[in-house]
Amino acid sequence: MLITCYNPAELGDILLVVVAADVSNQQVIQKEDIVQFSDPVSGKPIGYNVMHASKLLPGLIGSGQIELKVQQLQILNEALQQAGFSSELVADRKPHFVVGLVKQLEVHPNSDHLQIAQVQVEKQRLVQIVCGAPNIAADQLVVVAEPGAMMPSGEIIWPGELRGVASSGMICSARELALPNAPQKRGILVLPAADYQPGMPFDLAKHQAGK
Protein backbone atom coordinates (compact mmCIF):
# COMPACT_ATOMS: atom_id res chain seq x y z
CA MET A 1 0.00 0.00 0.00
CA LEU A 2 1.31 3.45 -0.87
CA ILE A 3 -0.40 6.79 -0.27
CA THR A 4 1.44 10.02 -1.06
CA CYS A 5 0.29 13.55 -0.21
CA TYR A 6 1.77 16.94 -1.05
CA ASN A 7 0.32 20.28 0.03
CA PRO A 8 3.04 22.95 0.09
CA ALA A 9 0.59 25.76 0.91
CA GLU A 10 -0.35 24.08 4.20
CA LEU A 11 2.63 21.90 5.11
CA GLY A 12 5.60 23.38 3.28
CA ASP A 13 7.81 21.46 0.88
CA ILE A 14 7.20 18.08 2.53
CA LEU A 15 5.98 14.89 0.86
CA LEU A 16 3.93 12.69 3.19
CA VAL A 17 4.20 8.97 2.47
CA VAL A 18 1.92 6.41 4.15
CA VAL A 19 2.52 2.67 3.81
CA ALA A 20 0.64 1.19 6.80
CA ALA A 21 -1.98 2.02 9.40
CA ASP A 22 -1.04 4.40 12.21
CA VAL A 23 -0.14 3.17 15.71
CA SER A 24 -0.29 5.12 18.95
CA ASN A 25 3.40 4.78 19.77
CA GLN A 26 5.84 5.28 16.92
CA GLN A 27 9.56 5.00 16.48
CA VAL A 28 10.91 8.08 14.69
CA ILE A 29 14.25 8.10 12.90
CA GLN A 30 15.59 10.94 10.75
CA LYS A 31 18.35 10.40 8.23
CA GLU A 32 19.32 13.36 6.08
CA ASP A 33 16.07 14.89 4.74
CA ILE A 34 13.90 11.81 5.37
CA VAL A 35 12.02 10.98 8.56
CA GLN A 36 10.81 7.40 8.99
CA PHE A 37 7.91 6.47 11.28
CA SER A 38 7.69 2.80 12.22
CA ASP A 39 5.91 0.38 14.52
CA PRO A 40 8.31 -0.23 17.44
CA VAL A 41 6.90 -3.73 18.00
CA SER A 42 7.16 -5.12 14.47
CA GLY A 43 9.79 -2.69 13.23
CA LYS A 44 7.83 -2.21 10.02
CA PRO A 45 7.61 1.30 8.51
CA ILE A 46 4.36 3.22 8.79
CA GLY A 47 5.40 6.14 6.62
CA TYR A 48 7.89 8.85 5.79
CA ASN A 49 8.17 12.63 5.70
CA VAL A 50 10.42 13.75 2.85
CA MET A 51 11.77 17.26 3.36
CA HIS A 52 12.61 19.59 0.43
CA ALA A 53 10.57 17.23 -1.71
CA SER A 54 10.35 19.45 -4.79
CA LYS A 55 14.15 19.57 -5.01
CA LEU A 56 14.34 15.79 -4.88
CA LEU A 57 11.44 14.95 -7.19
CA PRO A 58 11.17 16.72 -10.56
CA GLY A 59 7.74 18.03 -11.48
CA LEU A 60 6.23 17.50 -8.03
CA ILE A 61 2.95 19.42 -7.78
CA GLY A 62 -0.34 19.01 -5.93
CA SER A 63 -2.53 20.11 -3.07
CA GLY A 64 -3.55 16.83 -1.48
CA GLN A 65 -3.24 13.19 -2.40
CA ILE A 66 -1.05 12.68 -5.46
CA GLU A 67 0.19 9.74 -7.51
CA LEU A 68 3.93 9.68 -8.05
CA LYS A 69 5.16 9.05 -11.56
CA VAL A 70 7.40 6.06 -12.26
CA GLN A 71 10.53 8.22 -12.39
CA GLN A 72 9.61 10.06 -9.20
CA LEU A 73 9.07 6.80 -7.32
CA GLN A 74 12.40 5.47 -8.54
CA ILE A 75 14.19 8.62 -7.35
CA LEU A 76 12.44 8.43 -3.98
CA ASN A 77 13.45 4.79 -3.51
CA GLU A 78 17.04 5.66 -4.36
CA ALA A 79 16.95 8.50 -1.80
CA LEU A 80 15.63 6.11 0.87
CA GLN A 81 18.45 3.65 0.16
CA GLN A 82 21.11 6.36 0.13
CA ALA A 83 19.84 7.63 3.49
CA GLY A 84 20.18 4.12 4.93
CA PHE A 85 16.56 2.92 4.94
CA SER A 86 16.09 -0.62 3.66
CA SER A 87 12.43 -0.58 2.65
CA GLU A 88 11.30 -0.14 -0.96
CA LEU A 89 8.13 1.73 -1.91
CA VAL A 90 5.92 -0.04 -4.44
CA ALA A 91 3.33 1.83 -6.50
CA ASP A 92 -0.32 1.04 -5.78
CA ARG A 93 -2.14 1.84 -9.02
CA LYS A 94 -5.40 -0.01 -8.42
CA PRO A 95 -8.54 2.12 -7.90
CA HIS A 96 -9.61 2.40 -4.28
CA PHE A 97 -13.06 3.85 -4.96
CA VAL A 98 -15.14 1.23 -6.74
CA VAL A 99 -18.76 0.39 -7.46
CA GLY A 100 -20.12 -2.38 -5.25
CA LEU A 101 -23.32 -4.42 -5.25
CA VAL A 102 -24.90 -5.09 -1.85
CA LYS A 103 -25.56 -8.83 -1.99
CA GLN A 104 -26.65 -9.53 1.56
CA LEU A 105 -27.44 -7.73 4.82
CA GLU A 106 -27.68 -9.00 8.36
CA VAL A 107 -28.24 -7.26 11.67
CA HIS A 108 -25.11 -6.51 13.68
CA PRO A 109 -25.22 -8.65 16.84
CA ASN A 110 -23.92 -5.85 19.07
CA SER A 111 -25.80 -2.84 17.69
CA ASP A 112 -29.35 -1.69 17.16
CA HIS A 113 -28.53 0.40 14.08
CA LEU A 114 -25.53 -1.20 12.34
CA GLN A 115 -25.82 -3.81 9.61
CA ILE A 116 -23.26 -6.22 8.18
CA ALA A 117 -23.14 -6.02 4.40
CA GLN A 118 -21.62 -8.50 1.97
CA VAL A 119 -20.67 -6.40 -1.03
CA GLN A 120 -19.54 -7.61 -4.44
CA VAL A 121 -16.71 -5.38 -5.66
CA GLU A 122 -15.43 -7.68 -8.40
CA LYS A 123 -16.90 -10.63 -10.29
CA GLN A 124 -15.55 -13.17 -7.82
CA ARG A 125 -14.82 -11.03 -4.77
CA LEU A 126 -17.05 -10.13 -1.85
CA VAL A 127 -16.03 -7.83 0.99
CA GLN A 128 -17.67 -7.48 4.39
CA ILE A 129 -18.46 -3.93 5.47
CA VAL A 130 -20.28 -2.79 8.60
CA CYS A 131 -22.60 0.09 7.72
CA GLY A 132 -24.92 2.29 9.76
CA ALA A 133 -26.71 4.11 6.94
CA PRO A 134 -30.49 4.04 7.38
CA ASN A 135 -31.13 3.69 3.63
CA ILE A 136 -28.88 0.71 2.85
CA ALA A 137 -30.66 -2.25 1.24
CA ALA A 138 -29.85 -5.40 -0.67
CA ASP A 139 -29.32 -5.16 -4.45
CA GLN A 140 -28.18 -1.53 -4.30
CA LEU A 141 -25.20 -0.29 -6.30
CA VAL A 142 -23.01 1.78 -3.98
CA VAL A 143 -19.62 3.46 -3.81
CA VAL A 144 -17.10 1.49 -1.78
CA ALA A 145 -13.92 3.05 -0.43
CA GLU A 146 -11.58 0.07 -0.14
CA PRO A 147 -8.60 -0.12 2.25
CA GLY A 148 -5.97 2.32 1.06
CA ALA A 149 -8.48 4.94 -0.06
CA MET A 150 -8.05 8.50 1.15
CA MET A 151 -11.32 10.32 1.69
CA PRO A 152 -11.68 14.02 0.78
CA SER A 153 -11.52 14.74 4.53
CA GLY A 154 -8.03 13.24 4.66
CA GLU A 155 -9.17 10.10 6.49
CA ILE A 156 -7.51 6.92 5.25
CA ILE A 157 -9.59 3.76 5.10
CA TRP A 158 -8.06 0.69 6.76
CA PRO A 159 -9.44 -2.77 7.57
CA GLY A 160 -10.78 -2.86 11.09
CA GLU A 161 -13.65 -3.83 13.36
CA LEU A 162 -16.87 -2.13 14.39
CA ARG A 163 -18.22 -3.43 17.69
CA GLY A 164 -16.39 -6.71 17.31
CA VAL A 165 -17.24 -7.42 13.66
CA ALA A 166 -14.62 -7.24 10.91
CA SER A 167 -15.13 -4.51 8.32
CA SER A 168 -13.00 -4.00 5.23
CA GLY A 169 -13.80 -0.66 3.63
CA MET A 170 -16.59 1.89 3.78
CA ILE A 171 -19.85 2.35 1.89
CA CYS A 172 -19.89 6.07 1.15
CA SER A 173 -22.40 8.88 1.21
CA ALA A 174 -22.35 11.71 -1.32
CA ARG A 175 -21.34 14.09 1.47
CA GLU A 176 -18.39 11.92 2.50
CA LEU A 177 -17.27 11.93 -1.15
CA ALA A 178 -17.58 15.75 -1.29
CA LEU A 179 -19.88 15.57 -4.31
CA PRO A 180 -21.67 18.73 -5.52
CA ASN A 181 -25.09 19.34 -3.93
CA ALA A 182 -24.67 16.35 -1.63
CA PRO A 183 -27.54 15.86 0.85
CA GLN A 184 -26.54 16.67 4.40
CA LYS A 185 -28.80 14.03 5.94
CA ARG A 186 -27.46 10.57 6.75
CA GLY A 187 -27.55 8.00 4.01
CA ILE A 188 -25.31 6.31 1.46
CA LEU A 189 -25.12 7.24 -2.20
CA VAL A 190 -27.16 4.79 -4.31
CA LEU A 191 -26.06 4.59 -7.95
CA PRO A 192 -28.39 4.02 -10.93
CA ALA A 193 -28.16 0.48 -12.31
CA ALA A 194 -28.34 1.78 -15.87
CA ASP A 195 -24.98 3.54 -15.56
CA TYR A 196 -22.90 1.37 -13.22
CA GLN A 197 -21.94 -2.23 -12.57
CA PRO A 198 -19.98 -3.94 -9.76
CA GLY A 199 -16.22 -3.60 -9.99
CA MET A 200 -16.20 -0.40 -12.04
CA PRO A 201 -13.79 2.25 -10.76
CA PHE A 202 -15.59 5.27 -9.36
CA ASP A 203 -13.79 8.35 -10.71
CA LEU A 204 -14.01 10.55 -7.62
CA ALA A 205 -12.34 13.61 -9.16
CA LYS A 206 -14.69 13.51 -12.16
CA HIS A 207 -17.77 13.27 -9.98
CA GLN A 208 -16.54 16.00 -7.64
CA ALA A 209 -16.30 18.25 -10.69
CA GLY A 210 -19.92 17.44 -11.50
CA LYS A 211 -19.14 15.62 -14.74
Side-chain angles (χ1 to χ4, degrees):
M1 188 173 297
L2 177 62
I3 299 171
T4 48
C5 301
Y6 185 62
N7 191 342
E10 297 293 332
L11 301 174
D13 193 13
I14 302 173
L15 178 70
L16 306 183
V17 180
V18 179
V19 295
D22 202 5
V23 295
S24 56
N25 296 314
Q26 301 176 1
Q27 182 179 25
V28 182
I29 300 174
Q30 180 167 358
K31 296 181 179 181
E32 300 179 8
D33 284 338
I34 301 177
V35 181
Q36 181 191 69
F37 303 88
S38 59
D39 183 337
V41 177
S42 67
K44 294 182 179 179
I46 296 168
Y48 301 88
N49 286 356
V50 182
M51 316 295 183
H52 311 298
S54 64
K55 296 181 180 179
L56 175 67
L57 303 175
L60 184 64
I61 57 173
S63 58
Q65 185 177 8
I66 62 172
E67 184 175 296
L68 294 180
K69 299 176 182 178
V70 173
Q71 181 188 17
Q72 292 173 326
L73 187 58
Q74 181 180 348
I75 292 172
L76 182 54
N77 273 320
E78 291 172 354
L80 287 171
Q81 294 170 6
Q82 290 173 3
F85 295 112
S86 59
S87 58
E88 180 179 3
L89 305 177
V90 178
D92 184 359
R93 307 293 187 195
K94 69 177 183 179
H96 290 95
F97 292 93
V98 298
V99 177
L101 173 63
V102 180
K103 300 286 287 185
Q104 181 180 338
L105 287 172
E106 61 180 294
V107 176
H108 193 296
N110 301 316
S111 171
D112 61 0
H113 70 282
L114 296 175
Q115 297 190 73
I116 305 169
Q118 305 298 328
V119 185
Q120 179 187 344
V121 292
E122 292 177 9
K123 187 174 182 179
Q124 301 294 333
R125 185 164 69 96
L126 292 176
V127 295
Q128 177 171 289
I129 301 175
V130 178
C131 180
N135 65 325
I136 189 170
D139 299 322
Q140 289 175 334
L141 288 173
V142 297
V143 179
V144 175
E146 294 210 74
M150 176 176 278
M151 302 299 294
S153 65
E155 176 189 4
I156 298 174
I157 304 301
W158 301 104
E161 290 187 355
L162 282 174
R163 297 196 181 183
V165 174
S167 183
S168 184
M170 184 171 75
I171 301 174
C172 303
S173 69
R175 179 168 54 86
E176 289 166 332
L177 296 170
L179 302 185
N181 304 312
Q184 295 305 301
K185 64 181 182 179
R186 292 178 63 234
I188 57 170
L189 175 65
V190 180
L191 301 171
D195 300 326
Y196 298 91
Q197 60 185 15
M200 288 178 58
F202 185 82
D203 191 334
L204 184 56
K206 178 180 177 181
H207 285 81
Q208 286 173 335
K211 298 179 180 178

